[in-house]
């Protein structure tokens, strides 16, 4: 059980949640991570929605990555041949999930994200790489990629 305090009304409660998910064993968790609802919770007291923050590991042995939601600066005892990405907030975790689950180069996605945010003067959420149309989608905005960028963005 994970102790939780509602950030809106201060209601204290405990909740049972998985702290480890392996990609090929839980398609529901994967789907909820993809749509951003995995860490969402509605307070039983005030009915406000908020993200639950708790230590969590998502492992995808096929794609060879581990995403860890943690306050720690390093994690030991994970597979040495798999990438380990430490995330310190739910929003970082969900962005990393979308990037690594699609086997994309995080540096390229983050550069395009920052360029778009600067242009729009607001934050945007990354959605997916559209290989057919050679673009990255951020919410309802497509950012075109060159042929070279399309080849370089996939890390398999």
């Amino acid at each position: 059980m994970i102790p939780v305090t509602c950030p809106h009304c201060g209601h204290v409660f405990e909740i049972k949640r998985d702290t480890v998910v392996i990609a090929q064993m839980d398609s529901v968790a994967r789907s909820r991570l993809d749509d951003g609802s995995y860490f969402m919770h509605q307070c039983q007291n005030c009915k406000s929605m908020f993200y639950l923050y708790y230590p969590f590991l998502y492992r995808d042995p096929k794609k060879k990555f581990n995403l860890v939601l943690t306050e720690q600066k390093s994690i030991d005892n994970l597979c040495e041949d798999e990438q380990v990405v430490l995330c310190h907030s739910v929003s970082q975790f969900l962005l990393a999930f979308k990037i690594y689950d699609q086997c994309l180069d995080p540096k390229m996605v983050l550069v395009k994200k920052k360029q778009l945010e600067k242009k729009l003067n607001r934050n945007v959420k990354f959605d997916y790489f559209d290989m057919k149309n050679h673009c990255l989608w951020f919410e309802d905005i497509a950012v075109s990629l060159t042929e070279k960028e399309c080849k370089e963005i996939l890390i398999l």
Side-chain angles (χ1 to χ4, degrees):
M1 298 296 277
I2 298 166
V4 178
T5 302
C6 174
H8 303 282
C9 71
H11 177 66
V12 178
F13 58 98
E14 288 187 342
I15 191 165
K16 185 178 180 180
R17 287 288 173 114
D18 290 331
T19 56
V20 176
V21 169
I22 298 174
Q24 291 73 29
M25 298 177 77
D26 194 338
S27 62
V28 172
R30 192 207 157 283
S31 176
R32 291 191 60 214
L33 285 165
D34 190 48
D35 72 18
S37 67
Y38 190 84
F39 296 100
M40 288 300 294
H41 183 75
Q42 183 176 29
C43 177
Q44 297 167 334
N45 187 51
C46 71
K47 307 301 183 212
S48 295
M49 297 290 290
F50 62 96
Y51 281 130
L52 294 172
Y53 178 92
Y54 56 91
F56 180 75
L57 167 68
Y58 180 84
R59 181 167 180 254
D60 191 325
K62 279 188 179 177
K63 296 178 183 173
K64 295 192 177 289
F65 73 88
N66 297 278
L67 299 179
V68 185
L69 181 59
T70 182
E71 293 177 352
Q72 295 180 23
K73 296 199 188 296
S74 66
I75 300 291
D76 297 325
N77 302 324
L78 293 175
C79 292
E80 290 184 20
D81 67 331
E82 296 177 5
Q83 173 122 19
V84 176
V85 180
L86 301 181
C87 302
H88 302 294
S89 71
V90 171
S91 58
Q92 282 180 348
F93 188 96
L94 294 172
L95 174 58
F97 175 80
K98 285 196 175 265
I99 292 170
Y100 283 91
D101 188 57
Q102 295 178 65
C103 301
L104 302 177
D105 179 347
K107 289 179 185 171
M108 286 186 69
V109 174
L110 293 176
V111 164
K112 295 295 184 181
K113 182 180 186 305
K114 286 181 183 182
Q115 288 172 345
L116 181 60
E117 288 174 339
K118 186 175 181 180
K119 181 179 175 181
L120 298 175
N121 200 28
R122 68 175 173 90
N123 290 335
V124 293
K125 288 186 179 181
F126 171 66
D127 285 321
Y128 68 96
F129 171 54
D130 182 345
M131 188 181 300
K132 179 181 174 189
N133 294 303
H134 304 251
C135 62
L136 294 172
W137 282 92
F138 296 87
E139 298 166 0
D140 58 347
I141 302 165
V143 174
S144 296
L145 300 176
T146 65
E147 276 191 49
K148 182 181 177 195
E149 287 173 326
C150 282
K151 291 175 184 173
E152 293 174 351
I153 199 164
L154 290 172
I155 53 171
L156 301 174

